[in-house]
Amino acid sequence: MDLVFIDAPFQAEGGSKGLGAEELFDPPLYEWFQASKDFSEYQNFDECIAFVEDRMTRIEPFDGLMGFSQGAFLSAASPGMQAEIKFVIVISGGKFGGSNFSSPKLAQNAFSSPIECPSLHFLGEKDRKKPNGIELLDSFVDPLVIHHPEGHVVPKLDEKGSETMIKFIDKIQDIVYCRKENSRL
């Protein structure tokens, strides 16, 4: 499996909004888009999507996406915006705006029907975004979930979490390999 890491295009406005990233990483910090504190308004979302599409076109092919925090929100919405995505891994993510707020129209359309691609979701017990992550699960046909005791972080996996992750990777490798083999026939 080859992994490509794409940095977000916008310098973070106001730090990491209480998530503590400043304590772990040297500035500058970046974000995919800007959202109001209550996530009722979004800025630069269309520019973000154009940026991601440009990178994916230049570096293609991509079989799946993995994202953390804002990147996880984008990863979760991507299969509904682009049918070629075969899997997603969502770490501390959720559904844009949740049910109580408006979200970018493109993101709303992404969740207009159940998403059938395999998905793995990491939910932290202390993550303040956990309710949004739980709401996101309903958008996927058969989501696989790893629960962990931490907050809004990429967690270290215990034995059970590692087994779940390996099971998911085996599943997506079978899917990706079979589709590529079938397309050559």
Side-chain angles (χ1 to χ4, degrees), residues 61 63 86 175-185:
D63 293 315
K86 297 174 185 80
I175 290 168
V176 170
Y177 180 73
C178 286
R179 286 185 184 165
K180 285 183 180 176
E181 284 299 309
N182 289 336
S183 69
R184 291 182 193 147
L185 299 177

Side-chain angles (χ1 to χ4, degrees), residues 1-149:
M1 190 179 317
D2 293 326
L3 301 175
V4 176
F5 297 91
I6 300 173
D7 292 325
F10 304 108
Q11 191 162 344
E13 296 177 359
S16 62
K17 298 178 177 57
L19 299 175
E22 297 91 350
E23 298 167 13
L24 301 172
F25 304 102
D26 292 329
L29 302 175
Y30 291 89
E31 58 192 356
W32 292 100
F33 51 86
Q34 294 81 36
S36 61
K37 191 171 185 170
D38 64 358
F39 289 90
S40 62
E41 296 177 30
Y42 294 85
Q43 296 175 344
N44 293 322
F45 186 79
D46 292 336
E47 293 86 346
C48 167
I49 296 301
F51 177 83
V52 171
E53 287 175 347
D54 175 68
R55 294 310 183 273
M56 289 180 75
T57 301
R58 281 196 218 173
I59 307 169
E60 69 178 326
F62 281 90
D63 293 315
L65 297 172
M66 176 174 68
F68 168 71
S69 194
Q70 282 190 344
F73 278 73
L74 286 171
S75 295
S78 292
M81 294 187 287
Q82 185 179 51
E84 292 83 30
I85 299 298
K86 297 174 185 80
F87 71 91
V88 293
I89 300 174
V90 178
I91 306 168
S92 292
K95 193 172 178 178
F96 280 100
S99 59
N100 299 322
F101 301 107
S102 64
S103 60
K105 185 159 182 61
L106 188 61
Q108 288 176 348
N109 292 341
F111 299 109
S112 62
S113 61
I115 297 172
E116 294 188 29
C117 81
S119 63
L120 177 63
H121 305 256
F122 290 73
L123 296 176
E125 293 304 313
K126 297 177 187 171
D127 189 346
R128 63 186 173 94
K129 297 286 186 190
K130 181 181 174 187
N132 200 270
I134 291 170
E135 181 181 353
L136 174 66
L137 297 176
D138 291 336
S139 297
F140 285 84
V141 171
D142 190 21
L144 194 57
V145 181
I146 294 177
H147 294 274
H148 63 87

Side-chain angles (χ1 to χ4, degrees), residues 147-182:
H147 294 274
H148 63 87
E150 300 174 51
H152 198 75
V153 299
V154 177
K156 284 187 168 185
L157 297 178
D158 59 15
E159 189 174 323
K160 182 179 178 185
S162 294
E163 288 173 11
T164 301
M165 183 72 169
I166 290 168
K167 177 182 169 186
F168 183 77
I169 290 172
D170 287 343
K171 177 181 178 177
I172 62 173
Q173 283 180 325
D174 289 345
I175 290 168
V176 170
Y177 180 73
C178 286
R179 286 185 184 165
K180 285 183 180 176
E181 284 299 309
N182 289 336

